[in-house]
């Protein structure tokens, strides 16, 4: 239909056809997230941008990641997420990528240069709790609340293996630099060591009584430090058996009861064994070296070490970061020499003999001599996470994400005699310190007011920049005074606060109510307003101009004109548009309607089971909608007070309700994290706006109806914008059903490989709607190949019968791909599947398609195309369908051919890679010879390591002789 057929303007949010049969709505979409500096679930990390270290930080911001410039206090990059909340961040060692873990168990890797997330890993069933790259950045270890640890191949974009063993959420995972080992800690009180060559756990440390919340490796990976739910940081000495064999150490004495190959393990003070020693050949031994006592008495929340491995820091649930310094061997020796000197001097003084003979004095080295407390850093609020970086000047930088939506950075010089932390920067202007409890739009739709427990902020809607911040008491309600030059705020202590926007000054504070001032309503004639409070009264106020003491001009003020006393606490008040009626919501679950002029009682609206928290009257004064803590919204007629409809609106309390201007559509916000739009005439649910991750406290609809702004307990403010896209209810319901189906597919039981039991999935992937779609694409491609092959056979028979060449009809799909052959089309489909989803797609693929796929693989490998991809698919299919393939006589010749072609083609690929590597090595040597500089610093470190081992051997030989 053309535009002439629409009878009403678009500002009301609805379009009516002249036929009068169809009512069309306009869709609201998420426009922006603002007012948020960093959300609480994830961790803050330093990132390298534009070659600068220590200047930029990445913080989780609900489903996005914000990159902040600490020097300027500006947001410079947003890494756009999907729906799920960010729970974990980890930058790659080269500083070019950022791994982001989400609430649903997915992981995305973003490029910090382009800001795009190209790689997605789906393997976990619950939130990601830990992410860690290996030294080169080629592998990524992820720990989750689902108790699994998965190692991912970042380069190949696929999962390597799933490590099962923990009985509760994994809290930390670390790769060792020199060895192919992984160490993980969990809430099940265990620390596990994994051999990544064989993918099994070879050692479990059980020396903790409570959850292990963090672990770090220090002292060249010879010491492990763990933090748990008590005030101790436990230190464990690690000895690698291979190195011990190199040093030719004598075997420790075995006790009489020990079986061969097991050393006696000292029992800790609490009686629990520190490690569960097994008779198998172990890779390393772990012995408790001691404990460092923290000042905090609560659990360790975060434990981290800087990249140099010299500074160790931890914090609990308070606002103090404890910083320790791990001394080098030379510094420890120097300290011990001083200790020895002091002890000798003391012994000499205490000696009764005055002879100058050498006294035998022994000084024991304790853990406190090796790990020294530096200082404590006290932040302005509770710490949620932190990160450390060492600048080239030797200065330590620490950045904190605090509980009150704040980022602070401190600098510290650990080598100073009395190190003191100095606050370097603070990012505050971008958000409130506490939850926003009230929102308002200015009359021109340009400015947005948000008020919380400590401040009122004015935002520019177009740029989302904060243009004014004013301190206030705990705000509960607010509005712009007509003219948009002043704002009125109602507080929890019952005060009215009047602010001037131009100067940002508090003009006046009026004690309005004895209890909380819950609600404000501006009168339609814009000359005054009404307030309702917890002191069981409704008060009427008028604006007036009074003489300003500090200026010759008059200023705006308010004066009380009337009071309406009631029997219950007032929760909400609202004027009717004609200013004849006043609706008052009371604590007794009723809404009472009064005449404004005489204050006489008119109607009582009762039916809610719990108090009415919010309500609004439509623009024409015919309807009133009420939202209650009983999760229902009721629509009433204002003529007789009859209930037109009761709607079950939300899964939790309805917190806010407002009509769209000049329409009977209204929005509701609930504690179930959702905003919903409703039609008060047809009693239909139109649309759900999802985005907030915690309870929504309030929302505001702009006077034009084009914008909606909402605030939540997740500290974010969200702007929603009305588009010109029509919303058809049937299509919306269909989309909802599709979304529910996709969620149910992900929640279904994972496919089982023959020989495994349900739940014992050792593959790294997870069944998602994407993997199901990829399997369907493979099936469609194989079916097309079968059909086209049959058609070609028929075509040959027809040509033979006709004795001439008959034109072959071309499939439009093959034509779209450039008129390729059916077999090439199958290969294109395989190449189009994401690397991280390939195995799971093949796992879903029915076996009836496998014989055709294997025949095609043989054909492709003989041609030498995409050998790596095809071998990966081939080996996976052979692994999961081994029994059926080997028992099928038809496939025996195919497998024999595949064996021959695969071995020869893989050998060719390997030779090419070997040749290229040799060429690169030659070029490297040539460049090194020209510049006389080693490319890689590890060459010198290897030399030093050899010298150190030689010296150790010499010392051992001297002691043994």
């Amino acid at each position: 239909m053309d535009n002439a057929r629409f009878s009403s303007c678009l500002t009301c949010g609805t379009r009516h056809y002249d036929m009068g049969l169809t009512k069309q709505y306009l869709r609201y979409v998420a426009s922006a997230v603002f007012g948020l500096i960093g959300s609480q679930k994830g961790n803050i990390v330093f990132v390298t941008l534009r070659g600068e270290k220590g200047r930029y930080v990445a913080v989780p911001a609900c489903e996005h990641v914000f990159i902040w410039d600490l020097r300027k206090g500006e947001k410079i990059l947003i890494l756009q997420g999907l729906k799920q909340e960010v729970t974990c961040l980890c930058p790659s060692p080269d500083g070019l990528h950022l791994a982001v873990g989400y609430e649903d168990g997915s992981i995305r890797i973003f490029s910090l240069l382009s800001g795009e997330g190209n790689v997605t890993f789906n393997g976990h069933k619950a939130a990601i709790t830990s992410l860690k790259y290996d030294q080169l950045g080629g592998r990524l270890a992820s720990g989750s609340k689902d108790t699994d640890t998965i190692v991912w191949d970042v380069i190949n974009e696929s999962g390597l293996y799933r490590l099962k063993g923990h009985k509760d959420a994994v809290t930390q995972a670390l790769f060792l630099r020199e060895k192919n080992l992984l160490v993980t800690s969990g809430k099940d009180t265990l620390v596990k060591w994994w051999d990544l060559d064989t993918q099994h756990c070879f050692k479990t440390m059980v020396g903790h009584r409570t959850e292990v919340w963090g672990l770090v490796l220090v002292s060249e990976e010879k010491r492990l430090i763990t933090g748990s739910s008590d005030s101790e940081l436990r230190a464990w000495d690690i000895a690698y058996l291979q190195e011990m064999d190199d040093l030719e150490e004598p075997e420790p004495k075995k006790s009489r009861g020990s079986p061969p190959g097991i050393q006696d393990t000292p029992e800790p003070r609490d009686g629990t064994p520190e490690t569960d020693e097994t008779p198998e050949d172990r890779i390393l031994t772990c012995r408790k070296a001691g404990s460092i006592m923290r000042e905090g008495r609560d659990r360790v929340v975060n434990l981290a070490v800087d990249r140099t491995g010299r500074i160790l820091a931890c914090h609990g649930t308070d606002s103090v970061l404890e910083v320790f310094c791990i001394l080098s061997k030379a510094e420890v020796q120097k300290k011990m020499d001083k200790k020895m000197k002091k002890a000798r001097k003391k012994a000499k003084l205490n000696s009764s003999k005055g002879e100058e003979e050498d006294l035998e004095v022994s000084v024991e080295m304790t853990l406190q001599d090796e790990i020294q407390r530096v200082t404590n850093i006290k932040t302005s609020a509770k710490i949620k996470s932190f990160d450390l970086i060492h600048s080239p000047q030797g200065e330590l930088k620490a950045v904190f994400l605090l509980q009150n939506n704040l980022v602070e950075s401190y600098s510290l010089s650990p080598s100073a005699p009395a190190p003191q932390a100095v606050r370097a920067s603070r990012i505050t202007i971008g958000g409130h310190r506490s939850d926003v409890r009230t929102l308002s739009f200015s009359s021109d739709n340009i400015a947005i007011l948000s008020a919380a427990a400590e401040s009122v902020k004015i935002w520019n809607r177009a740029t989302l920049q904060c243009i004014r911040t004013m301190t206030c008491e705990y705000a509960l309600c607010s509005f712009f005074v007509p003219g948009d030059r002043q704002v009125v705020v109602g507080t929890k202590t019952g005060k009215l606060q009047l602010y001037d926007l131009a100067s940002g000054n508090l003009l006046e504070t009026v004690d309005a109510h004895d209890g909380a001032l819950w609600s404000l309503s501006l009168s339609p004639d814009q000359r005054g307003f009404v307030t309702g409070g917890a002191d069981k009264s409704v008060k009427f106020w008028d604006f007036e101009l009074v003489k300003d003491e500090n200026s010759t001009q008059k200023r705006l003020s308010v004066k009380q004109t009337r009071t309406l006393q009631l029997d219950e606490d007032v929760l909400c008040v609202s004027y009717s548009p004609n200013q004849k009626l006043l609706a008052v919501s009371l604590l007794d679950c009723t809404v009472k309607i009064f005449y404004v002029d005489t204050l006489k009682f008119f109607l009582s609206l009762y039916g809610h089971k719990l108090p009415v928290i919010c309500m609004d009257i439509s623009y024409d004064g015919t309807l009133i909608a009420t939202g209650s803590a009983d999760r229902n919204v009721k629509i009433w007629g204002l003529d007789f007070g009859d209930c037109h409809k009761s709607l079950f609106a939300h899964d939790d309390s309805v917190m806010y309700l407002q009509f769209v201007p000049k329409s009977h559509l209204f929005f509701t916000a609930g504690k179930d994290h959702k905003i919903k739009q409703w039609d008060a005439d047809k009693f239909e649910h139109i649309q759900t706006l999802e985005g907030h991750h915690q309870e929504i406290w309030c929302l505001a609809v702009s006077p034009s109806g084009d914008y909606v702004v909402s605030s939540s307990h997740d500290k974010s403010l969200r702007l929603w914008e009305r588009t010109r896209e029509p919303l058809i209810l049937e299509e919306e319901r269909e989309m909802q059903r599709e979304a529910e189906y996709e969620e149910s597919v992900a929640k279904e039981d994972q496919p089982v490989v023959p020989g495994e039991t349900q739940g014992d999935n050792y593959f790294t992937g997870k069944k998602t709607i994407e993997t199901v779609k990829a399997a369907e694409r493979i099936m469609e491609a194989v079916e097309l190949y079968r059909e086209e092959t049959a058609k070609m056979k028929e075509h040959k028979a027809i040509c033979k019968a006709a004795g001439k060449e008959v034109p072959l009809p071309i499939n439009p799909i093959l034509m779209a791909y450039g008129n390729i052959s059916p077999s090439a089309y199958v290969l294109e489909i395989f190449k189009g599947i994401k690397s991280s989803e390939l195995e799971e797609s093949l796992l879903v693929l029915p076996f009836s398609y496998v014989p055709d796929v294997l025949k095609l693989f043989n054909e492709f490998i003989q041609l030498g195309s995409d050998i790596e991809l095809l071998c990966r698919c081939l080996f996976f299919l052979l692994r999961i369908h081994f029994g059926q393939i080997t028992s099928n006589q038809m496939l025996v010749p195919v497998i024999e051919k595949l064996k021959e072609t695969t071995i020869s083609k893989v050998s060719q690929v390997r030779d090419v890679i070997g040749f290229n590597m040799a060429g690169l090595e030659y070029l490297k040597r040539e460049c090194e010879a020209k510049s006389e500089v080693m490319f890689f610093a590890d060459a010198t470190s290897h030399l030093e390591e050899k010298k150190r081992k030689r010296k150790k051997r010499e010392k051992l030989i001297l002691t043994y002789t």
Side-chain angles (χ1 to χ4, degrees):
M1 289 189 183
D2 55 47
N3 292 330
R5 300 289 298 277
F6 297 116
S7 60
S8 72
C9 66
L10 295 175
T11 55
C12 69
T14 63
R15 296 200 290 181
H16 307 275
Y17 291 114
D18 287 343
M19 293 166 66
L21 294 173
T22 309
K23 186 171 183 181
Q24 227 174 23
Y25 308 97
L26 295 177
R27 187 184 296 279
Y28 283 82
V29 295
S31 174
V33 178
F34 65 105
L36 180 65
I37 293 169
S39 51
Q40 311 299 309
K41 280 193 176 178
N43 59 306
I44 189 168
V45 291
F46 277 107
V47 291
T48 305
L49 275 182
R50 300 160 191 165
E52 286 193 62
K53 290 184 179 179
R55 179 173 173 178
Y56 303 101
V57 290
V59 293
C62 292
E63 69 270 25
H64 306 307
V65 176
F66 291 166
I67 310 290
W68 291 94
D69 184 340
L70 290 175
R71 201 176 296 167
K72 293 181 180 178
E74 292 176 358
K75 192 191 304 173
I76 60 159
L77 184 64
I78 299 175
L79 306 179
Q80 297 279 351
L82 299 172
K83 279 186 179 179
Q84 298 295 328
E85 201 169 1
V86 174
T87 57
C88 194
L89 300 177
C90 181
S92 63
D94 59 8
L96 299 176
H97 297 92
L98 183 71
V100 182
Y102 293 90
E103 187 77 37
D104 64 344
S106 62
I107 300 163
R108 291 182 78 192
I109 296 176
F110 288 89
S111 166
L112 290 173
L113 300 174
S114 64
E116 292 177 0
N118 299 322
V119 183
T120 304
F121 295 131
N122 282 304
H124 291 289
K125 295 176 186 173
I128 302 294
T129 52
S130 169
L131 286 173
K132 197 65 73 175
Y133 278 96
D134 68 354
Q135 192 183 7
L136 297 173
R139 292 179 298 175
L140 177 70
S142 63
S144 167
K145 283 185 178 177
D146 65 4
T147 75
D148 290 351
T149 306
I150 300 179
V151 180
W152 306 92
D153 185 342
V154 177
I155 297 158
N156 198 29
E157 299 179 15
S158 63
L160 291 174
Y161 27 80
R162 185 187 295 266
L163 306 173
K164 287 173 170 282
H166 282 287
K167 298 287 183 275
D168 207 335
V170 178
T171 55
Q172 187 62 276
L174 294 174
F175 284 100
L176 270 71
R177 286 199 189 95
E178 301 297 328
K179 314 274 182 188
N180 194 23
L181 304 177
L182 183 79
V183 57
T184 60
S185 61
K187 284 173 74 176
D188 55 1
T189 76
L190 304 176
V191 174
K192 286 182 174 286
W193 291 83
W194 306 84
D195 183 354
L196 297 183
D197 292 326
T198 56
Q199 296 110 50
H200 83 287
C201 174
F202 65 88
K203 181 176 284 295
T204 301
M205 295 164 58
V206 292
H208 301 88
R209 286 284 183 155
T210 53
E211 299 98 329
V212 183
W213 290 102
L215 54 86
V216 290
L217 286 160
V218 295
S219 305
E220 298 174 358
E221 299 186 340
K222 299 286 176 67
R223 177 162 287 158
L224 180 74
I225 294 174
T226 58
S228 56
S229 295
D230 51 23
S231 55
E232 282 184 54
L233 292 180
R234 292 171 177 81
W236 311 80
D237 282 334
I238 303 163
Y240 301 101
L241 296 193
Q242 190 179 354
E243 289 181 14
M244 289 166 70
D245 293 342
D246 290 345
L247 296 174
E248 297 176 359
E249 278 193 316
E251 281 190 29
K253 289 178 184 177
K254 298 171 190 170
S255 67
R256 199 173 294 170
S258 300
I262 299 184
Q263 298 169 7
D264 282 343
T265 307
E267 297 285 324
R269 286 191 297 272
D270 56 11
T272 55
E274 292 179 9
T275 54
D276 59 340
E277 302 288 355
T278 55
E280 65 181 21
D281 294 328
R282 292 158 307 168
I283 299 164
L284 53 82
T285 58
C286 250
R287 306 223 175 261
K288 191 170 180 183
S291 293
I292 310 157
M293 298 306 293
R294 291 168 47 237
E295 288 183 3
R297 289 284 169 263
D298 48 0
R299 76 172 181 88
V300 171
V301 175
N302 280 309
L303 176 67
V305 70
D306 72 332
R307 286 191 181 175
T308 61
R310 185 168 170 76
I311 301 296
L312 173 74
C314 66
H315 72 89
T317 53
D318 53 8
S319 58
V320 177
L321 181 80
E322 299 180 44
V323 184
F324 301 89
C325 182
I326 295 151
L327 303 179
S328 65
K329 288 178 182 176
E331 287 170 325
V332 172
Q333 190 59 48
K334 197 175 178 183
K335 200 172 181 182
M336 293 310 296
D337 290 345
K338 276 186 183 177
K339 226 175 176 182
M340 180 68 82
K341 200 174 179 181
K342 204 179 271 183
R344 279 179 179 165
K345 202 172 183 181
K346 195 174 180 182
K348 203 170 184 181
L349 287 169
N350 292 341
S351 177
S352 55
K353 296 176 184 178
E355 299 168 14
E356 292 185 13
E357 60 174 309
D358 287 343
L359 295 166
E360 285 189 12
V361 178
S362 62
V363 177
E364 285 186 15
M365 186 169 69
T366 62
L367 191 65
Q368 280 67 27
D369 295 323
E370 297 176 67
I371 300 172
Q372 184 178 307
R373 184 182 291 275
V374 177
T375 187
N376 287 352
I377 299 176
K378 181 88 168 71
T379 58
S380 61
K382 286 183 179 180
I383 303 168
K384 282 313 231 178
S385 66
F386 75 98
D387 197 17
L388 303 172
I389 196 167
H390 227 99
S391 66
Q393 294 80 27
E395 193 179 54
L396 180 74
K397 270 191 176 179
V399 67
F400 299 91
L401 176 59
L402 304 181
Q403 194 180 29
N404 62 348
N405 193 27
L406 195 65
V407 169
E408 284 184 347
S409 73
Y410 289 80
S411 58
L412 175 72
S413 188
S415 55
Q420 286 294 322
V422 180
R423 191 164 74 198
S425 62
R426 201 175 190 212
I427 300 172
T428 61
I429 199 166
H432 287 275
R433 306 285 73 78
S434 55
D435 293 0
V436 172
R437 301 309 293 253
T438 175
L439 290 163
S440 296
F441 266 100
S442 61
S443 60
D444 56 5
N445 307 294
I446 289 174
I448 298 170
L449 177 151
S450 65
E454 82 299 326
S455 65
V456 177
K457 285 182 183 283
I458 308 296
W459 307 83
N460 183 317
R461 179 195 50 75
T463 62
L464 301 176
Q465 296 297 314
C466 178
I467 52 178
R468 184 73 75 234
T469 301
M470 301 161 284
T471 55
C472 71
E473 292 186 26
Y474 199 119
L476 293 175
C477 48
S478 63
F479 65 83
F480 279 87
V481 174
D484 297 334
R485 293 185 179 182
Q486 296 88 14
V487 293
V488 174
V489 174
T491 70
K492 202 173 183 178
T493 53
K495 292 176 182 174
L496 278 172
Q497 293 187 308
L498 183 64
Y499 292 90
D500 179 55
L501 294 185
S503 62
N505 293 333
L506 174 64
L507 296 177
E508 190 177 0
T509 300
V510 180
D511 290 322
H513 292 268
D514 290 338
L517 199 162
W518 289 114
S519 182
L520 290 167
S521 181
L522 182 67
S523 62
D525 63 5
Q526 300 192 339
R527 292 180 180 178
F529 58 96
V530 64
T531 62
D535 59 354
K536 304 178 183 178
S537 66
V538 174
K539 295 186 179 181
F540 294 81
W541 307 79
D542 281 348
F543 295 115
E544 63 174 358
L545 291 170
V546 296
K547 191 176 179 183
D548 191 356
E549 297 171 3
N550 304 323
S551 172
T552 55
Q553 294 180 338
K554 290 186 175 182
R555 67 167 178 82
L556 189 75
S557 180
V558 295
K559 69 171 182 180
Q560 186 185 341
T561 56
R562 293 183 294 169
T563 302
L564 172 64
Q565 201 64 37
L566 296 157
D567 298 330
E568 295 284 343
D569 290 11
V570 177
L571 298 178
C572 191
V573 290
S574 183
Y575 270 116
S576 66
N578 58 11
Q579 208 170 329
K580 285 186 177 179
L581 301 173
L582 176 73
V584 181
S585 160
L586 300 175
L587 200 62
D588 62 1
C589 310
T590 64
V591 175
K592 291 192 166 39
I593 314 291
F594 295 90
Y595 289 105
V596 172
D597 49 1
T598 61
L599 298 184
K600 284 186 176 178
F601 174 74
F602 172 47
L603 290 170
S604 180
L605 313 178
Y606 54 89
H608 283 289
K609 295 183 177 72
L610 289 169
V612 173
I613 298 169
C614 50
M615 63 183 177
D616 197 17
I617 299 174
S618 64
Y619 76 103
D620 53 6
T622 57
L623 299 174
I624 178 170
T626 57
S628 165
D630 63 7
R631 304 180 287 178
N632 290 312
V633 167
K634 290 183 187 289
I635 299 164
W636 316 76
L638 265 181
D639 299 335
F640 308 105
D642 55 323
C643 181
H644 291 184
K645 187 73 173 176
S646 181
L647 304 166
F648 182 74
H650 291 270
D651 296 328
D652 209 332
S653 302
V654 181
M655 297 304 295
Y656 212 84
L657 185 150
Q658 191 174 347
F659 274 98
V660 176
K662 299 179 183 175
S663 77
H664 281 182
L665 308 180
F666 64 91
F667 283 97
T668 59
K671 278 189 174 180
D672 60 354
H673 318 169
K674 291 174 185 172
I675 298 168
K676 294 184 180 181
Q677 189 184 19
W678 307 83
D679 187 340
D681 290 331
K682 292 194 169 185
F683 317 124
E684 283 188 311
H685 171 219
I686 302 166
Q687 185 182 2
T688 301
L689 304 178
E690 293 188 51
H692 283 294
H693 298 281
Q694 301 214 30
E695 301 95 325
I696 300 170
W697 298 127
C698 60
L699 61 81
V701 182
S702 67
S704 66
D706 285 335
Y707 300 97
V708 176
V709 65
S710 57
S711 77
S712 165
H713 186 48
D714 61 17
K715 299 285 196 301
S716 71
L717 300 174
R718 288 175 187 262
L719 187 67
W720 313 84
E721 190 175 351
R722 184 164 65 193
T723 63
R724 295 293 170 233
E725 179 194 346
L727 186 149
I728 297 154
L729 292 180
E730 290 75 18
E731 288 182 6
E732 194 69 13
R733 302 290 174 268
E734 185 63 33
M735 285 166 65
Q736 281 179 0
R737 282 193 289 272
E738 280 180 14
E740 285 169 11
Y741 168 70
E742 288 183 7
E743 281 181 22
S744 67
V745 164
K747 287 176 184 174
E748 280 176 14
D749 291 334
Q750 298 294 316
V752 183
V753 178
E756 289 186 2
T757 56
Q758 186 69 45
D760 287 346
N761 180 17
Y762 288 90
F763 294 116
T764 54
K766 181 177 76 170
K767 185 181 176 183
T768 61
I769 193 68
E770 285 80 16
T771 60
V772 172
K773 284 177 181 175
E776 284 173 357
R777 287 202 302 275
I778 295 170
M779 289 155 66
E780 285 167 8
V782 172
E783 281 169 6
L784 186 141
Y785 165 74
R786 287 172 180 170
E787 287 169 12
E788 289 300 310
T789 309
K791 278 181 189 175
M792 285 174 83
K793 282 180 182 175
E794 283 178 23
H795 178 257
K796 280 181 183 176
I798 290 165
C799 290
K800 196 174 181 181
K804 60 177 181 177
E805 193 68 30
V806 179
L808 175 70
I810 300 167
N811 191 303
I813 296 172
L814 299 178
M815 195 181 286
Y817 274 82
N819 206 5
I820 58 174
S821 66
S823 58
Y825 173 67
V826 176
L827 181 60
E828 286 298 318
I829 293 296
F830 271 102
K831 284 158 74 176
I833 298 169
K834 283 185 182 178
S835 181
S836 56
E837 295 168 1
L838 189 61
E839 274 91 353
E840 202 61 34
S841 303
L842 292 170
L843 196 58
V844 176
L845 190 71
F847 181 73
S848 57
Y849 293 90
V850 172
D852 289 314
V853 169
L854 291 177
K855 286 169 188 170
L856 286 167
F857 281 0
N858 187 31
E859 187 183 315
F860 299 144
I861 292 170
Q862 280 177 349
L863 294 170
S865 53
D866 297 286
I867 300 296
E868 289 178 46
L869 171 70
L870 294 172
C871 285
R872 186 177 158 196
C873 295
L874 172 63
F875 299 151
F876 186 80
L877 286 172
L878 291 172
R879 183 179 167 194
I880 60 172
H881 296 298
F882 178 77
Q884 287 172 291
I885 290 169
T886 51
S887 60
N888 192 332
Q889 292 297 318
M890 301 281 286
L891 288 174
V892 171
V894 179
I895 297 297
E896 286 295 329
K897 282 180 187 173
L898 273 168
K899 185 181 172 185
E900 291 169 18
T901 51
T902 306
I903 291 168
S904 63
K905 292 293 178 182
V906 168
S907 299
Q908 285 176 20
V909 172
R910 192 173 56 200
D911 292 344
V912 170
I913 292 168
F915 180 81
N916 291 341
M917 283 179 70
L920 289 169
E921 285 289 332
Y922 171 75
L923 289 171
K924 187 181 102 174
R925 286 196 299 272
E926 287 289 310
C927 293
E928 284 175 355
K930 282 179 186 174
S931 60
E932 295 183 355
V933 174
M934 292 293 279
F935 264 8
F936 303 106
D938 59 358
T940 53
S941 64
H942 280 315
L943 195 66
E944 285 170 8
E945 189 71 29
K946 283 179 183 175
K947 282 180 182 176
R948 210 179 294 123
K949 283 185 179 179
R950 199 182 301 124
K951 281 180 184 176
K952 279 184 182 177
R953 281 202 193 95
E954 285 169 5
K955 280 181 185 176
L956 282 168
I957 290 160
L958 285 168
T959 51
Y960 293 156
T961 51

